[in-house]
Amino acid sequence: MPSSKVLLDRDFAIGTTDRRLFGAFVEHLGRCVYGGIYEPDHPSADERGFRGDVLKLVRELGPTIVRYPGGNFVSGYDWEDGVGPVEKRPRRLDLAWQSIEPNTFGTNEFMDWCRLANVEPMLAVNLGTRGPDAARRLVEYCNHPGGTTLSDLRREHGWPEPHDVKFWCLGNEMDGPWQMERKTPVEYGRVATEAAKMMKMVDPSIELAVCGSSARTMPTFGEWERIVLEHTFDHVEYISLHTYLNNYAEDTAAFLASPDLMDSFIEEVVAIADAVAAERRSSKRIMLSFDEWNVWYRTRRGDTRVREGWPVAPPILEEVYTMEDALAFGGACIALLNHADRVRAACLAQLVNAIAPIMTQTGGAAWRQTIFWPFADFANLGHGKVLRTQIDCPTYSATYYDPRGKEDLYFPLPEVPYLKLAAIHGDDTLTLFALNRHLDEPMRINVSARGFSELALERAQTLHNGDLRAANTQDDPDRVRPEALQGVEIRGSELVATLPAASWTVLRMRAR
């Protein structure tokens, strides 16, 4: 049996997790909104059309902030279409997902849903087919108390109090050829700067995220960040990152190593942002918003992305997640935690049905996918001070395959630790999130927690299934779920546990 030694100290921290790190994403994409969070005819729906069974699962999942309304959708979205009397709202062609958008759910409905779900709203503005003027008008509509045409229009629509949205995204993936009105970094940097200026003229209290590269594999990665930040540095607080992990090569070991590339991506963007700051002799530090991340590959190709005939809310991108996916997903959670000093916001994409932890049947049941479990652990137990860890464990080598258009990209990973781990110190708790990437062997871990006089086990559970292809379905919604981990030993500040092969484990202790 391989073994690992973990050393941590309560006085040596990476940073404290921001509440916004545990976010999610709702886009007008497939059945994420219609048939997902909003289905007026569903038996569990309230008077506003929100599915009660989905709301219950969202509260259990524990996201803290939710990005809306896109995504690719936002680059062609006129926000005015989604406010006012529902019966007067227009039906539009959504070019992003080749669908009809009925606009029966819009900004105000989203705000009401956020209050019920107890999440902070994060709004994206259209910097594709629209521009700075439409963006500042939306801020005025949402945030100004009253006495102007737009704020009084919100009041007339039935929302007398301002929504007070604090976090705004300046467009979406504007470097992508798939994006409506894609821009060069100079074009985008200029329009984002003007949008930021005007939006903050309306409400100086808001925080803004500028678009970074839509993937680390983009040919303009690095140059895009540098040029965009040279334009926007004085006007924004965040730069965004997007990553979707895949297993196109059907190489499980490499797939479970892929979260380590998220670590590299984060560190590279931090270096670029700080280089721009250094050129300006500025002490300001741009933070990171990892506002799209997930496992996604089965439904990224072929005819699963669109349906013919411009349907309303077609079932697209409905990835069915396996035990293997949950492990890679858990590794991504650990990567985010271990960069809590600079990654201050993050959004799992998406929340319901489309590449999501929650699945529904229209008119029927809702259930948890396998990735629900590590995110719920991450979001509910990951708040606190992230401690630095020194890990001594066996390693393996892998090569991660990530296709980009017609080009095949290979990323060699020569030394991948079998154990990936994050340690969180709460007010009176110590929580360990551990991924055992060894596919065949359990792993014994020996943890020395310096600075903690007495540890007492509060919770020990593991997500593990002998069949890495196992998935949760409507007929078998609990096939993959956490179970208690037995045999954990604690003596003072020392912990010993055995992690099953290919497992995600959470150990939570009361700590003095």
Side-chain angles (χ1 to χ4, degrees), residues 136-196:
R136 65 96 180 168
R137 288 169 59 86
L138 179 57
V139 175
E140 182 179 336
Y141 179 89
C142 288
N143 285 9
H144 198 69
T148 68
T149 297
L150 289 170
S151 59
D152 287 346
L153 183 63
R154 182 199 69 243
R155 295 167 66 92
E156 179 185 321
H157 289 160
W159 284 265
E161 298 301 319
H163 296 315
D164 198 27
V165 180
K166 294 302 184 187
F167 199 115
W168 297 77
C169 304
L170 297 172
N172 174 76
E173 295 185 352
M174 297 309 301
D175 60 335
W178 57 85
Q179 205 68 214
M180 286 172 272
E181 296 208 23
R182 172 199 191 188
K183 292 173 171 56
T184 67
V186 173
E187 291 169 338
Y188 172 68
R190 287 175 60 84
V191 75
T193 297
E194 296 308 309

Side-chain angles (χ1 to χ4, degrees), residues 215-235:
R216 187 173 181 245
T217 53
M218 293 296 289
T220 54
F221 168 57
E223 179 187 27
W224 174 276
E225 278 77 4
R226 177 183 61 79
I227 294 172
V228 166
L229 284 176
E230 284 174 351
H231 283 274
T232 62
F233 185 89
D234 293 329
H235 304 282

